[in-house]
Every structure is written in structure tokens, then in C-alpha cells.
Amino acid sequence: LSRIAYVNGSYVYHLGAMVHVEDRGYQFSDAVYEVVAVLNGKILDLEPHLARLGRSLAGLQIGSPMSNKALSVVLNEVRRLNRLRNGILYFQVSRGVATREHGFPNTEVKPSVVVTAKRLNFDAIKKKQQLGINVITTAETRWARPDIKSVCLLANVLAKAKANKNGATDAWFVDNDGMVTEGTANNAWIIKDNMLITRELSNDILAGITRHTLLSVANDLGMKICERSFSVVEAKGADEAFITSTTNFVMPVVKIDEQKIGDGKVGQVCKKLIKFYWNYLEG
Amino acid sequence: LSRIAYVNGSYVYHLGAMVHVEDRGYQFSDAVYEVVAVLNGKILDLEPHLARLGRSLAGLQIGSPMSNKALSVVLNEVRRLNRLRNGILYFQVSRGVATREHGFPNTEVKPSVVVTAKRLNFDAIKKKQQLGINVITTAETRWARPDIKSVCLLANVLAKAKANKNGATDAWFVDNDGMVTEGTANNAWIIKDNMLITRELSNDILAGITRHTLLSVANDLGMKICERSFSVVEAKGADEAFITSTTNFVMPVVKIDEQKIGDGKVGQVCKKLIKFYWNYLEG
């Protein structure tokens, strides 16, 4: 658990980390966020995460609360104050506090900034990578702009809860055409005949940082890559499947809707990607 | 402005009304809400609002934080402490505070309850009812369950901001079939040949309390009513149009996308509905 959080200019005890009830993040999901991994005391991929935060803010026409340099200082200070060696930093920027009214506030409001820390056991994640996870598929129910990393996440919450209830770790959203968009907080991938397939970037999915990094790792390895949509049927007939995210890195998917992918065990290509991705992160 | 708010068991000064940063309402839009009007010191339609809150909570599998009777006491106490004669009470229930994880918390968490008050000038609303408002139309971008009155409202925020930017008061969402769903925080209606037309209830729209009450008022008046979808084209060719909501009551729409509805002035049927609705509320 986080012991120290940052809230609007102050480093405070986590238990006392509070925001106003009229913070628009609380009443309108009018806020964006990022999660960065901390490995051996170092924040991973900070620059692309900050760049994406900037794009999300711009997408909602929220002004930047501080420079990327200042935000980096805050993030590292939260990391340091929590003595965080391995885990994540969560940071959220909302439009700020204003009298409740759907439209943008008429007066200038200051965006709210919150940063929290959480310890993670990466060895446990490495163990999970050897076993893989199960996912279910579920109808796409999110709002139209999941490419903006906002806290408008209620559909994700319900999909994840549905997955958990059905003994699965996550849910893949499926659009009206029967094509997989992405997971509740991760990008979806399949492998067929040694080809890596993941949906092309658009308003329909988040431009995952791990997705981006893995594409370049795979490219360096000389692997075949195709960025295109794939259907649930195609996914179930794939040789292997996996998800990517900041906290899962490369996580094999061994069952989709209770159906085994390949022989239902973590495949050779996934193993290779996991190995090279850890080399990339640790090396 | 609200002077006193209720937050999780305490009546506190509005400025100090705070919730934890890991309240799921703040990080996941995992919360529902209601707005009730207070007229001459009396809360209007409290029972149906409480019933809808119950349905919204059930839709998200959030347990009831307190009995309707207890919640009524809290609402009336916030009204009393703010000496609120005319205005609104806003009340929100979130799933509660838990370490950030998309799925439902594993441990039992207590839902958070927040109530705020705001003064409104109903005479100003009555004046606005004589002039009518302009709306724009915009593509439906909300998540799949706007019938659940949740704070997952980012699409509503952006649509309302777009309307304001274009000199309009509100935006009507239009689904993939070109049919109007509803406004950003209100139900949409048109009148053609003295027939009241408003979209039928489904997962696609909120079951408005004012919508419901007006249907019964119109029925008592012997008016023709049809609950069905209507297109943007049909709306622009209607004789009259209006919206209903807790804070707008019956508000005429005189322009859609800059196009005049009828002669661009508030029509006779709207005037009649406004009159009878105020009679119903005040009488």
C-alpha cells in the first residue's frame, strides 16, 4: 500500500489523501490518468507515458497542470517517499473543482493532480506469465473514445467483474462487427503461423505503451507483425494469444471463453517475447 | 452555493467536503447519483428518485448504503441546514474506497454517500421557458448503459461543451440509425399534429422522472402520446420540440442545429404543458 500520496501540491499520508466532492473527476469522470511501472527503483517508459497524458488532456481540452519536468519530479518524489523499489505509480489529472454543471466551467479552474504508489511483486507476475490467464469475451459497451485514457471506466469495471465472476482474469471487448477491440486495461494480441496480430490504432483502443514497445522488440527480433482487427473466431483458432499492459507486461492468454488456445499452455512465441521483453526492461 | 454538505455520515462545510482519492467514484466513475428539485422548501418527487437510485445501484451491484427512509432524513437535513427554499439537492453513492483494481473489491467496502445543495432561481427558469433554447445534434458517444444514472458522464460533458461552444444550450445524441436518443442530461421530445413523441424506454436512455410525470400530466389532459424513436430529420420538421429534466422541467427547444422549429418561437402545446406542469408542481 501507498504510504504517501501527492495531492494538489502536497505530499500527504495516503489515508488523508482527499479531493473535494465537486472535483469533476468525482462527479463527471472528467479526468485522465496514467500508470507507470517502477522496476528496481527506476520508472519505466516515463517519457511516452507523459506524452500520452498530454494527448489525453488535449483530447478533453484540459490544460496541462504542470510541465512534464515538474511532474517527473513529483513522481520520483512519491516513489522516493514510499521507498518504492518495485511497483507502480498512479497519476491522475482532473479538470478541477467547480460548481456542478456538465459543460466546461466558465471560470478558469486549476486541474487537480493526484499521485499514489503501490508495491507490486514482479516475481508473482513472472510466475503468472508461466501459467497464462483465461479471458472471456464481452460486447463493447464503453464510450466512443477509449483512446483517451480517462477515468470514464464504468464499462471496464463491469466487464472485469463479469470476467472474475466467470473464473477468468480479464474480458476482451468485442465490437458490433465481432472484432476484438482490447481488454479492460490492456491490448489484445494473437499469434498465427508466427505472425503477431494486434488491432491497429484508432479511437477504438488505447495506444498502449507496452504495445508500442513490444512491436519494436518484435521488429528487432525479425518477427512478422500485422496491425489489424481480428475476430473472436479467429482468436479462438490462433496458435497463441496474449495481452500487454504496464503491469502485466506480456501475459499469455491460454483460454478464451473457456476454449483452449493451441494446446492450452503458454506457447513458444509467447515465451520468447516474455524473455526478450524482460531483457529489454532489465538490461 | 451549498454551505453544508453531507459526506459519509457527517454534515460538513461545503469547502471541506472531501472524499478519498481512491474512492471508486473518482478513479473508475463507479458511482450513481440523483438530483431532486426543492420548491418552496419541499423536495419534489422524492419517492421516484429514490426508486431510480435503487435501480441504478442494483445495475452496478452496489449495495444500498442506507434505507430510503434514512436517506430522506439526510436529504431533508441538508436542505434544512442550507435553508434551501428553491434549488436542488445532489446526492451520489459510489461503490466506496478500495485499493485501485478494476474489478469489484474482494473485501466488503462501504458505499460512499455525498449530498450537496444548490440554490436555483426558478423565476429565471420560467423566463427561459418563455424564450426556449437552442440545441445541436451530435453522434451518440456514451457508454452502453445511460439508463443507469452513473457519473460515467465524460461523453455528456464533451457534448455539452460542444453545444456551448456553438452557441447552443444543449446537445441531443443521435444513434447509428440517425435517431435521437436524448439530451446530455434530459429527455428529448417533439410535437407533431398535437401528438407528443418521445423515445421509448430502453437501455439507451434515462427513465426521466419529469418525463414520466409529464406523460401522466399529458394523459390527464387527454393529449395524444406516442413513445417511439424519432430521427433528426423528423425533429427538424416537427411543429414544436422540448426537453424535460429535474432542473429544466419542460423547456421548449426553438432551434435544432440552427434550424427553426415551427416559427422558431415557443409553441402553443409547449405553453400549455409548461402551465399545467407548474400547476402540478405548485398545486
Side-chain angles (χ1 to χ4, degrees):
Chain A
L1 249 169
S2 176
R3 299 178 312 150
I4 306 289
Y6 171 89
V7 183
N8 294 324
S10 306
Y11 297 91
V12 297
Y13 284 109
H14 185 79
L15 273 172
M18 312 290 273
V19 290
H20 195 263
V21 297
E22 287 198 316
D23 189 300
R24 292 178 58 94
Y26 197 58
Q27 297 191 321
F28 291 112
S29 55
D30 195 1
V32 299
Y33 74 102
E34 287 288 332
V35 176
V36 287
V38 175
L39 183 66
N40 300 322
K42 193 180 168 303
I43 299 175
L44 301 178
D45 290 327
L46 181 55
E47 204 182 313
H49 280 282
L50 290 175
R52 187 171 65 189
L53 181 76
R55 291 199 301 278
S56 295
L57 288 168
L60 301 187
Q61 299 167 60
I62 298 177
S64 187
M66 59 176 89
S67 69
N68 281 352
K69 202 172 164 184
L71 188 49
S72 303
V73 170
V74 170
L75 289 166
N76 271 298
E77 187 63 4
V78 173
R79 180 191 57 70
R80 193 185 68 79
L81 290 168
N82 286 284
R83 298 204 186 96
L84 187 68
R85 289 280 304 161
N86 292 295
I88 53 167
L89 295 170
Y90 172 89
F91 50 115
Q92 175 168 340
V93 179
S94 87
R95 195 179 304 277
V97 176
T99 301
R100 189 177 181 279
E101 155 64 42
H102 284 68
F104 298 162
N106 291 321
T107 53
E108 195 83 14
V109 296
K110 230 182 119 169
S112 301
V113 182
V114 170
V115 184
T116 57
K118 189 164 82 172
R119 230 165 281 282
L120 280 187
N121 182 349
F122 288 140
D123 287 335
I125 293 170
K126 284 180 179 175
K127 260 185 200 155
K128 214 164 125 195
Q129 284 176 316
Q130 291 171 19
L131 296 172
I133 60 166
N134 300 345
V135 303
I136 60 167
T137 59
T138 192
E140 180 63 86
T141 48
R142 297 176 299 169
W143 77 304
R145 295 298 302 276
D147 60 315
I148 297 173
K149 197 167 172 73
S150 77
V151 299
C152 191
L153 291 172
L154 191 45
N156 308 55
V157 164
L158 296 183
K160 179 85 173 181
K162 183 181 167 191
N164 293 344
K165 198 181 165 194
N166 286 279
T169 299
D170 200 38
W172 281 6
F173 289 112
V174 180
D175 68 18
N176 283 337
D177 302 318
M179 310 304 266
V180 173
T181 50
E182 59 186 337
T184 64
N186 52 70
N187 290 116
W189 303 65
I190 57 172
I191 303 165
K192 185 72 178 179
D193 300 330
N194 294 307
M195 167 85 83
L196 293 189
I197 302 165
T198 195
R199 190 166 173 128
E200 72 281 4
L201 295 183
S202 72
N203 287 350
D204 298 333
I205 66 167
L206 187 75
I209 308 298
T210 308
R211 175 191 182 281
H212 179 81
T213 307
L214 188 70
L215 282 174
S216 105
V217 167
N219 192 56
D220 290 348
L221 288 172
M223 296 180 72
K224 291 180 287 179
I225 296 164
C226 186
E227 291 182 67
R228 66 163 171 83
S229 300
F230 56 85
S231 70
V232 176
V233 174
E234 188 181 1
K236 290 180 180 173
D239 300 328
E240 303 182 37
F242 64 96
I243 59 170
T244 50
S245 80
T246 293
T247 47
N248 282 289
F249 307 102
V250 175
M251 181 62 70
V253 169
V254 292
K255 276 188 188 171
I256 300 174
D257 292 335
E258 284 295 312
Q259 190 174 318
K260 282 182 188 173
I261 305 307
D263 61 1
K265 294 194 180 114
V266 175
Q268 291 309 313
V269 180
C270 271
K271 281 183 184 166
K272 187 171 155 185
L273 289 171
I274 290 167
K275 188 182 148 199
F276 278 88
Y277 199 80
W278 277 110
N279 283 349
Y280 162 82
L281 291 178
E282 292 170 334
Chain B
L1 248 169
S2 176
R3 300 179 312 150
I4 305 289
Y6 171 89
V7 182
N8 294 324
S10 305
Y11 298 91
V12 296
Y13 284 109
H14 186 78
L15 274 171
M18 312 289 273
V19 289
H20 195 265
V21 297
E22 287 199 315
D23 189 301
R24 292 178 59 95
Y26 197 57
Q27 298 191 319
F28 291 112
S29 56
D30 194 3
V32 299
Y33 74 102
E34 286 290 330
V35 176
V36 287
V38 175
L39 183 66
N40 301 324
K42 193 180 167 301
I43 299 176
L44 302 178
D45 289 328
L46 182 55
E47 203 181 316
H49 280 281
L50 290 175
R52 187 172 63 188
L53 182 77
R55 291 198 302 278
S56 295
L57 288 169
L60 301 186
Q61 299 167 60
I62 297 177
S64 186
M66 58 177 86
S67 69
N68 281 352
K69 201 171 165 185
L71 188 49
S72 302
V73 170
V74 170
L75 289 165
N76 272 298
E77 187 64 5
V78 172
R79 181 190 57 69
R80 194 185 66 79
L81 290 169
N82 286 284
R83 296 201 187 100
L84 187 68
R85 289 280 303 161
N86 292 296
I88 52 166
L89 296 169
Y90 172 89
F91 50 116
Q92 174 167 343
V93 179
S94 87
R95 194 180 304 277
V97 177
T99 302
R100 188 176 183 278
E101 154 65 42
H102 284 68
F104 298 163
N106 290 322
T107 53
E108 197 82 16
V109 294
K110 231 182 117 165
S112 301
V113 182
V114 170
V115 183
T116 57
K118 190 164 79 171
R119 229 165 283 282
L120 280 187
N121 181 349
F122 288 140
D123 287 335
I125 292 170
K126 282 179 182 174
K127 261 185 200 156
K128 213 164 127 197
Q129 285 177 318
Q130 291 171 19
L131 296 171
I133 60 167
N134 300 347
V135 303
I136 60 166
T137 59
T138 192
E140 178 64 86
T141 49
R142 297 177 299 169
W143 77 304
R145 295 298 303 277
D147 60 316
I148 297 173
K149 197 168 173 72
S150 77
V151 298
C152 190
L153 292 171
L154 191 44
N156 308 56
V157 165
L158 296 183
K160 180 86 173 182
K162 184 181 166 189
N164 294 343
K165 199 182 163 191
N166 286 280
T169 299
D170 200 38
W172 282 5
F173 289 111
V174 180
D175 69 17
N176 284 336
D177 302 320
M179 311 304 267
V180 173
T181 50
E182 61 185 333
T184 65
N186 51 72
N187 290 117
W189 302 65
I190 58 173
I191 302 165
K192 185 72 179 178
D193 300 330
N194 293 308
M195 166 88 81
L196 294 189
I197 302 165
T198 194
R199 191 168 172 127
E200 73 281 7
L201 295 183
S202 71
N203 288 349
D204 298 333
I205 66 167
L206 187 75
I209 307 297
T210 308
R211 175 189 180 282
H212 179 81
T213 307
L214 188 72
L215 282 173
S216 106
V217 168
N219 192 54
D220 291 348
L221 289 171
M223 296 181 72
K224 289 180 288 177
I225 295 164
C226 187
E227 293 182 66
R228 66 161 172 84
S229 300
F230 56 85
S231 70
V232 175
V233 174
E234 187 179 3
K236 288 179 182 173
D239 300 329
E240 302 181 38
F242 64 95
I243 59 169
T244 51
S245 80
T246 295
T247 48
N248 283 288
F249 307 103
V250 174
M251 181 61 69
V253 169
V254 291
K255 275 188 188 170
I256 300 175
D257 293 333
E258 284 296 312
Q259 190 173 318
K260 283 182 186 174
I261 305 307
D263 61 1
K265 294 192 180 119
V266 175
Q268 292 310 313
V269 180
C270 271
K271 282 183 183 165
K272 185 170 157 187
L273 290 171
I274 289 167
K275 186 181 148 199
F276 278 89
Y277 199 82
W278 278 112
N279 283 349
Y280 162 83
L281 291 178
E282 290 169 335

